[in-house]
Amino acid sequence: MPSAIRYYRLYTAFFLCCLPLYSAQATTLADQLQINLSNEVQIAVNNGVKLVFDCNYSEHQSLWLTSRHEKRHHHQFELQRHSLSNRYVVRRDDLETQRIFRSMSEASAYISTQAILLYEFYHKQGDTDSVRITLNKYDLPGPMRLGSFLTGSWSVDSGWAPK
Amino acid sequence: MRIRELIKTATGPIYVISACTFVLFVLSFLIIKSLSEESAGQLQYWTMLFGSAGVALLIFLLIASCYSLYRQYVRNEIGSRLTVKLVGIFLFLTVIPFSLIYFFSIQFLNQGVDSWFDVRVEQAVQDARLLGQTSLEGIKDEITVDVETYAKNLPETSDASQLLRTLREIRELGDFTEVALYQDDGTVVAFSKKESSQMLPDTPGDEVFTALRISQTYTSLEPITKNTQQFRVVVPIVAQALERNFYGLQAIKLLPLRYATLASSVETALNQYDQILFARGPLKFTLILTLTLISLASLLFSILTAVYLSKRLVAPISNLAAGTRKIAAGDYGTSLPVSSNDELGILTDSFNDMSQKIEEAQQVASLSQKETEQQKGYLEAVLTNLSSGVFVFNREGYLEICNSAAVDILGISTLDSLGKNDLELSQQYTQLKQFFNLVGEGIRSAAPEWQDESTVLGAHGRQMLIVRGTLLHTASPNQQNNDQTSINHVVVFDDVTGLIQAQRDAAWGEVARRLAHEIKNPLTPIQLSAERIRIKLGDHVSGESRETLDRSTRTIVQQVEAMKEMVDAFSSYAQPVRAQLQPLDLNQLIKDLLELHATSLQSIELNIELQDDVPQIKANASALRQVLNNLIINACHALEGQNEPRLRICTGLASKIAGRYVDVIIEDSGCGIPTDIRESLFDPYVSSKAKGSGLGLAIVKRIVEEHSGSVWARDGEQGGTAMHIRLPINAMETYRGNRNQNTLHSDSS
C-alpha cells in the first residue's frame, strides 16, 4: 500500500510539473476536434465512399488510480460526395435534412462544429464532460475494412476532449 | 489424477488437430460471411484478428515441433531420421500443390475481380453520369434564364410591400419554393417562401456572395434529402435603387419528383459503382489476404498434422528399435505396447512373442548352465575326492584335466603338467617315465580300452599303479557341425601298492601259517619220537648198533631242528613289518652297526661317507637295523678271502627325482653277483653262499618295500657288488591298508 501511495504521489507530481507545458500546448476544443482526413481517405470519399463519424459524449470517472469514460450520448455523422452536383453532403443521424458543402474541408469542419455544439448542450445538462470523434471503420465497405485496420491513414480519432 | 488424465487426453494431438480443423472451417465461414455482409464490420475485424492469432499460434507450434524434431535428429534418437524423412515427404506433397493452388487462386482472383469492371460498363456509367448531369444542367439553365429575366425586370422600388408582392409574383410565376433578395453583404432584403411555416429564407453560403461581388450568376443543384434536390440560382442585380449598389436575386426550385427520383437513383448507382471501382484494389487485397490467411493456416495445419502423423507412424518402429537394442544389451523379456491392429501392430506383437521366447530360452539356458555348473562342480568334487588318479588327454594328446589324486599319487604339479603331452611329461618327470610311456602307448594305440601296470617312484616311494585307459567321445561346442564329436583319452590309475602289499602279506602270512602248522607240527613228534627211540633203545643195543642208533637219532633231531629253523626263518620272512614308523637317524644307525661289527670289519678297509644333510627318516628302526645288518654281513662274507677287502658305506639325499629320498649304498670289493642269480637275487631261497637260508636279501627287499623304498644291486665300482637302498624320508603307513589318500595332501613334511 505505501508503494501504491508513493506511486500515486509521483504520478500527480509529474502531472503537475508537466501541466504548464501541457497548458501551453493545450488547444481549443475546436482544434482538438478538428477532423483531418488523409489523402487516401479523401480519394475514397471522392470515389463515393461514405464516411461515418461517431461522436461519443461521456462522463469521465476516476476510481483510485484508474479512470474511465462512461458513455452518455452518441451521434453519427455521414459524409458523402454527391457526384451529380459535385457537392459534399453531411447528414446527422437524428435529422432528416442534410447539409451541402462545396468542399470536403467545409463538410468536416461542419461536423466538428456540430459535435462541439452538441457537447456544449450536453455539458450544460451536467452529465457530459468529454467528447470524442472517431471514424467508424466498421461501416466502411467490406473490401476496405481490412485495409483500414491495417493502415494508419484511416485512423481518425480526436481522443477525448477537452484534454 | 482423473482430471489430469482427462486434460492430458483432451490436449492430445488428435484432439488439438480436430479442434484446429473445426476452428479453421469456422474461420473460413466467418471470413466469407464478413466479406459478403456490409453490416459485419466488427465480425470481420475480430475474425481476422483471431485468424491471425491462430496462424501465429500454428507457426509457433510448428517452430516448436521442428525444433524438437531437430534436437532429436542431432541427438540421433531412434525414429528421428525416419520421422524427418516422412515429414519431408509430406511437406513435398503438401507445399508444392498448395503453392500451385495458391498461385493460380491469386491469378484467378485478380482476373475475376478485374472482369467485374468491364470497360464498357464503366463507359456506360460515365455516360449515364454525363447524361444526368447534362439534363440537370439543362433544367438549371432554363431556371437560370428565367431568374435572370426576372432579375432584369425587377422594378426599382423602395417600397417593401411592393417588393414583397413582386417577389411573390416571381415565385408563383416560376413555381419556385423561395425567392429572396439579398444584399451583397448577405443581408436579406426581402423574400417569399412557398412554405409559410418557415420564417427564414434559405441563406446561401459565402461562395454565393463571392460570386455576386464579381457579378457572376451562381447556380447549383443541392440535394436536400435522399430523394429531394433543389436548384439554387442567385443572379446578381446591379441597381442603384434602394440605396444599395449590389443585390442578388435568389430563386430556389425543387427538382420535379420524376427527375428527382431518377436523379437519386442515378446518384445512388453512381456512388455504388464509384465505390466498387475504388474498392477494387482493396477488394483484391482483402481477398488475397484472406486467401493467404486461410492457405497459410491450412498449410501450417497440414504440416503440423504431417509431423504428428509421422511421429505417430514412426513410434511403433522406434519402439521396436529401442526394444531390439534392449534385447541386444541383454534386457530380455522386453514387452512393447501394441497400439494398433495393422501390420505394425502385428510386427510389435511378433516382437513381443520373440522377446518372451528369448527370455524363456535364456531362462532355460541359465537353468541349464546352472545344472551344468552343478554337474561340473559335482564332477569336480567327485574327481577331487576320487582316490584314483584321472588324466584326460585331448585328441591331440595334450593333458587337459588332472585331478588332485593324480597329483598326489605321482607327485607332479598341475600347472606344470597341463597342456603337455606324454613325451613332454616323461621328460619333465623322469622318475615317471615308465608311467607316461605306458600312457602314451595306450593313447597312440587308440584302443577303446586298455589296462596295464606300472611301477614308479612317486612322492612317497615306490608305487605300483594299475593304469586303465579308455576313449571318451564328447560333443565339442566349438564344432560347427554338431555331428562331430571330439575324442578324448581318459586315463585312470590307482596306486595298488598298499593293496598288493597287503595281498602279499596275506599270502605270505597264510603260507607261513600253513607251513608252521603243517610242517612244524609233525616236526615235534618226529623229534620226540627220535629221542624216545634213542632213550628207549639206547640201553638195549650196544656197540655198532648203539652208534648207529645214536647217529641216526641225532641226525633226525638235527634235521628236525634245521627244519624248525627254516620254518621259523620263513615265518619271520613272511611276517609283515608292523607299522610304527618313527624318526630315525640313518647315519647314527649305520655308525651303531659298524661298531657292532667292528671286530669282523677290522681287516676290511672301510670308506664311510655319511652325509650330514641326510635328515631323519620315518622308519622302523629294528627293521632297518636288520636290513643294514644283513647287507653288512653279506658284504663281509663277500670280502672273505679277498686280498684288499674294501667296504664303502655312504648315505646321501637322492637327487633328480621327485619327492625326498635318502640313499644308502653298501659297496664291497668282492667277487660280485653271479650272473645266474642276478635276476632273482632278491627272491626267497636264492643265495650264492653254501650256507644260509637264502632269505636274507628277500627279507631286506621286503623290509625296504614295506618302507615304500626300493633296493637294487649293481656292479660296484670296486669290482664287487653295490647294494643300493632308497628310502623315502616320509614313508607312509603301508601296513595292511592303513594307507589313506587324504594324508597325501597333509603330508608335507
Side-chain angles (χ1 to χ4, degrees):
Chain A
M1 189 62 69
S3 62
I5 295 175
R6 192 180 311 118
Y7 170 74
Y8 180 72
R9 289 178 179 175
L10 286 175
Y11 173 75
T12 308
F14 176 76
F15 176 75
L16 293 176
C17 290
C18 295
L19 190 57
L21 179 63
Y22 186 77
S23 299
Q25 296 180 349
T27 54
T28 60
L29 187 61
D31 294 331
Q32 294 176 27
L33 294 181
Q34 185 177 3
I35 297 174
N36 296 315
L37 301 177
S38 63
N39 289 334
E40 185 178 348
V41 176
Q42 293 180 16
I43 294 171
V45 174
N46 290 328
N47 281 276
V49 176
K50 181 173 68 177
L51 301 181
V52 177
F53 293 91
D54 290 327
C55 291
N56 292 303
Y57 301 89
S58 67
E59 182 180 8
H60 181 258
Q61 296 177 348
S62 297
L63 182 65
W64 194 235
L65 296 176
T66 62
S67 64
R68 56 189 289 266
H69 290 270
E70 183 70 26
K71 290 186 180 180
R72 300 296 185 193
H73 307 280
H74 172 76
H75 288 279
Q76 275 190 338
F77 292 90
E78 293 179 0
L79 171 62
Q80 192 174 13
R81 179 173 175 270
H82 192 266
S83 60
L84 285 178
S85 61
N86 198 21
R87 293 288 189 272
Y88 295 91
V89 178
V90 176
R91 302 187 188 91
R92 208 171 91 176
D93 55 348
D94 56 344
L95 297 177
E96 290 184 1
T97 57
Q98 55 195 25
R99 292 295 299 269
I100 301 97
F101 302 92
R102 293 189 65 178
S103 67
M104 199 181 306
S105 59
E106 292 176 4
S108 59
Y110 171 75
I111 295 173
S112 299
T113 305
Q114 290 293 305
I116 293 172
L117 291 174
L118 289 171
Y119 166 75
E120 290 173 352
F121 172 73
Y122 291 126
H123 188 63
K124 285 180 181 179
Q125 290 184 348
D127 61 350
T128 301
D129 58 7
S130 301
V131 57
R132 186 173 187 172
I133 300 177
T134 55
L135 175 63
N136 191 336
K137 298 177 187 178
Y138 299 120
D139 287 339
L140 289 173
M144 302 180 63
R145 288 185 203 136
L146 195 58
S148 66
F149 295 143
L150 298 177
T151 59
S153 58
W154 287 87
S155 295
V156 179
D157 189 354
S158 66
W160 290 107
K163 294 180 181 176
Chain B
M1 289 298 293
R2 286 193 66 182
I3 296 176
R4 284 187 182 177
E5 290 175 359
L6 283 174
I7 292 174
K8 188 175 181 181
T9 305
T11 55
I14 188 65
Y15 296 101
V16 171
I17 290 174
S18 301
C20 289
T21 307
F22 175 75
V23 170
L24 202 62
F25 277 108
V26 171
L27 184 66
S28 304
F29 170 76
L30 292 176
I31 289 174
I32 294 171
K33 184 177 172 59
S34 65
L35 285 176
S36 62
E37 292 185 5
E38 289 294 329
S39 61
Q42 286 201 354
L43 176 64
Q44 185 183 18
Y45 173 75
W46 291 109
T47 302
M48 297 304 291
L49 184 65
F50 282 123
S52 302
V55 170
L57 179 63
L58 286 175
I59 291 174
F60 172 75
L61 291 176
L62 181 62
I63 292 174
S65 297
C66 290
Y67 180 69
S68 171
L69 193 58
Y70 169 74
R71 290 194 63 182
Q72 290 176 3
Y73 186 86
V74 169
R75 287 199 298 259
N76 200 19
E77 289 185 6
I78 297 176
S80 60
R81 294 181 185 273
L82 189 58
T83 304
V84 168
K85 282 186 183 177
L86 286 175
V87 170
I89 292 171
F90 278 127
L91 275 177
F92 179 77
L93 294 176
T94 305
V95 172
I96 292 179
F98 248 104
S99 301
L100 289 174
I101 292 172
Y102 179 75
F103 174 75
F104 282 105
S105 297
I106 298 294
Q107 297 300 319
F108 291 148
L109 192 147
N110 287 327
Q111 292 177 5
V113 172
D114 290 337
S115 66
W116 298 348
F117 303 93
D118 196 349
V119 177
R120 293 171 294 180
V121 174
E122 186 174 355
Q123 187 62 43
V125 170
Q126 295 300 330
D127 293 342
R129 185 199 308 273
L130 187 61
L131 183 64
Q133 289 176 344
T134 305
S135 62
L136 290 175
E137 285 294 326
I139 299 173
K140 186 171 65 177
D141 293 338
E142 290 178 2
I143 298 173
T144 304
V145 169
D146 292 340
V147 174
E148 285 176 349
T149 304
Y150 295 141
K152 285 180 181 177
N153 298 325
L154 189 66
E156 292 182 3
T157 175
S158 60
D159 187 0
S161 61
Q162 185 182 358
L163 185 59
L164 287 173
R165 265 196 312 276
T166 303
L167 292 179
R168 189 176 63 247
E169 290 173 358
I170 294 172
R171 181 177 59 77
E172 290 173 353
L173 283 174
D175 193 19
F176 298 112
T177 58
E178 178 184 312
V179 175
L181 185 65
Y182 291 89
Q183 291 182 350
D184 56 353
D185 59 353
T187 305
V188 178
V189 177
F191 72 95
S192 174
K193 289 183 73 75
K194 193 173 186 179
E195 292 290 331
S196 57
S197 61
Q198 296 180 0
M199 300 300 290
L200 295 174
D202 189 353
T203 305
D206 292 337
E207 68 276 8
V208 175
F209 296 99
T210 304
L212 287 178
R213 291 193 190 95
I214 59 176
S215 301
Q216 281 189 349
T217 300
Y218 175 84
T219 61
S220 68
L221 177 63
E222 297 175 354
I224 300 176
T225 62
K226 282 188 178 179
N227 297 319
T228 309
Q229 299 178 29
Q230 67 183 17
F231 290 101
R232 186 191 296 271
V233 177
V234 182
V235 177
I237 300 175
V238 178
Q240 293 179 351
L242 303 177
E243 298 177 357
R244 300 294 300 181
N245 292 326
F246 296 100
Y247 294 94
L249 180 64
Q250 174 179 275
I252 297 175
K253 185 175 184 179
L254 288 176
L255 188 65
L257 182 61
R258 184 164 59 91
Y259 288 103
T261 304
L262 291 174
S264 176
S265 175
V266 170
E267 175 66 25
T268 303
L270 288 174
N271 277 338
Q272 287 180 354
Y273 186 81
D274 289 340
Q275 188 172 300
I276 292 173
L277 192 64
F278 177 75
R280 180 169 62 176
L283 178 64
K284 286 184 184 178
F285 172 76
T286 302
L287 291 176
I288 290 173
L289 186 64
T290 306
L291 177 66
T292 304
L293 188 66
I294 294 178
S295 299
L296 190 60
S298 301
L299 184 64
L300 292 173
F301 168 74
S302 299
I303 296 173
L304 276 176
T305 306
V307 173
Y308 163 71
L309 288 178
S310 298
K311 286 184 177 179
R312 189 180 173 85
L313 201 62
V314 173
I317 300 175
S318 301
N319 291 338
L320 280 172
T324 305
R325 282 192 179 182
K326 281 186 179 179
I327 289 180
D331 184 9
Y332 305 117
T334 301
S335 180
L336 303 175
V338 179
S339 57
S340 61
N341 294 326
D342 55 7
E343 285 77 4
L344 288 175
I346 294 173
L347 185 62
T348 305
D349 200 19
S350 301
F351 176 85
N352 289 337
D353 289 339
M354 179 196 72
S355 174
Q356 185 180 0
K357 287 180 181 175
I358 289 175
E359 186 184 23
E360 291 173 358
Q362 193 266 343
Q363 289 175 354
V364 170
S366 177
L367 285 175
S368 298
Q369 187 178 3
K370 285 184 182 176
E371 288 179 4
T372 303
E373 288 177 356
Q374 288 177 356
Q375 292 292 332
K376 186 178 179 182
Y378 175 73
L379 183 62
E380 286 181 356
V382 169
L383 287 177
T384 300
N385 292 288
L386 198 62
S387 61
S388 303
V390 178
F391 282 159
V392 178
F393 294 86
N394 59 15
R395 62 184 303 168
E396 286 81 16
Y398 291 98
L399 182 64
E400 284 191 345
I401 297 177
C402 170
N403 71 338
S404 58
V407 172
D408 292 338
I409 291 173
L410 300 178
I412 60 177
S413 169
T414 306
L415 291 177
D416 295 337
S417 302
L418 291 177
K420 295 181 180 176
N421 58 16
D422 60 294
L423 296 177
E424 293 171 344
L425 289 170
S426 65
Q427 290 174 1
Q428 182 175 354
Y429 303 103
T430 54
Q431 77 282 9
L432 303 175
K433 184 175 182 179
Q434 180 192 6
F435 171 78
F436 287 113
N437 289 339
L438 180 68
V439 171
E441 288 174 4
I443 292 173
R444 284 184 284 276
S445 69
E449 290 183 3
W450 54 270
Q451 183 173 334
D452 208 332
E453 295 178 359
S454 177
T455 303
V456 298
L457 276 179
H460 299 277
R462 184 187 59 81
Q463 294 166 290
M464 182 172 290
L465 307 176
I466 300 295
V467 185
R468 292 180 294 274
T470 183
L471 291 178
L472 182 64
H473 297 270
T474 57
S476 172
N478 294 325
Q479 296 292 338
Q480 293 181 355
N481 189 349
N482 292 330
D483 294 335
Q484 289 184 354
T485 57
S486 64
I487 299 175
N488 296 329
H489 300 273
V490 179
V491 178
V492 179
F493 54 93
D494 293 288
D495 185 358
V496 296
T497 307
L499 179 63
I500 292 178
Q501 190 66 38
Q503 289 177 349
R504 184 190 302 174
D505 291 343
W508 281 114
E510 182 67 18
V511 168
R513 187 185 65 80
R514 287 185 179 273
L515 277 180
H517 183 268
E518 300 297 334
I519 297 178
K520 203 171 183 179
N521 284 343
L523 291 180
T524 301
I526 294 174
Q527 182 181 3
L528 291 176
S529 297
E531 286 180 355
R532 175 173 281 186
I533 290 174
R534 189 174 63 81
I535 293 172
K536 289 292 184 182
L537 301 179
D539 294 335
H540 298 290
V541 294
S542 60
E544 189 177 347
S545 297
R546 176 64 188 266
E547 288 179 6
T548 302
L549 179 66
D550 290 337
R551 190 170 52 251
S552 298
T553 54
R554 191 168 49 250
T555 301
I556 292 171
V557 170
Q558 287 176 354
Q559 293 301 318
V560 168
E561 289 292 335
M563 288 186 70
K564 281 187 179 179
E565 289 177 2
M566 189 184 298
V567 171
D568 289 338
F570 186 75
S571 295
S572 175
Y573 166 74
Q575 192 70 28
V577 176
R578 294 289 184 257
Q580 299 171 4
L581 301 179
Q582 299 293 332
L584 174 66
D585 187 351
L586 198 59
N587 290 342
Q588 187 61 42
L589 178 62
I590 293 173
K591 289 177 183 176
D592 293 342
L593 286 172
L594 289 176
E595 204 168 307
L596 182 64
H597 292 281
T599 304
S600 57
L601 296 175
Q602 280 182 348
S603 59
I604 298 174
E605 180 183 348
L606 289 176
N607 184 9
I608 309 301
E609 299 172 6
L610 303 178
Q611 301 293 331
D612 295 332
D613 57 352
V614 173
Q616 289 185 348
I617 64 173
K618 292 178 71 175
N620 187 319
S622 60
L624 275 191
R625 182 178 291 108
Q626 183 179 0
V627 166
L628 295 173
N629 188 47
N630 286 351
L631 292 178
I632 291 173
I633 292 174
N634 285 347
C636 290
H637 289 166
L639 290 173
E640 287 177 356
Q642 295 291 324
N643 293 327
E644 293 178 357
R646 291 186 295 275
L647 181 63
R648 173 172 167 264
I649 300 175
C650 59
T651 62
L653 286 173
S655 60
K656 299 182 181 179
I657 62 172
R660 300 182 65 187
Y661 289 85
V662 173
D663 287 341
V664 179
I665 301 173
I666 301 175
E667 183 179 357
D668 60 55
S669 61
C671 55
I673 304 171
T675 56
D676 56 341
I677 62 173
R678 188 183 293 271
E679 295 295 327
S680 58
L681 185 65
F682 292 95
D683 290 343
Y685 304 108
V686 174
S687 175
S688 62
K689 296 183 292 187
K691 295 187 293 185
S693 62
L695 295 177
L697 288 180
I699 293 174
V700 165
K701 181 171 182 288
R702 190 163 179 278
I703 291 173
V704 170
E705 289 179 351
E706 288 291 334
H707 283 79
S708 302
S710 59
V711 60
W712 66 91
R714 60 179 174 81
D715 295 331
E717 296 175 358
Q718 304 179 65
T721 303
M723 300 303 292
H724 199 137
I725 299 174
R726 180 165 288 172
L727 295 171
I729 296 175
N730 293 312
M732 288 183 56
E733 300 287 345
T734 59
Y735 175 69
R736 293 196 183 275
N738 287 334
R739 185 188 187 93
N740 187 351
Q741 289 289 345
N742 291 331
T743 61
L744 282 174
H745 297 279
S746 61
D747 191 3
S748 59
S749 61

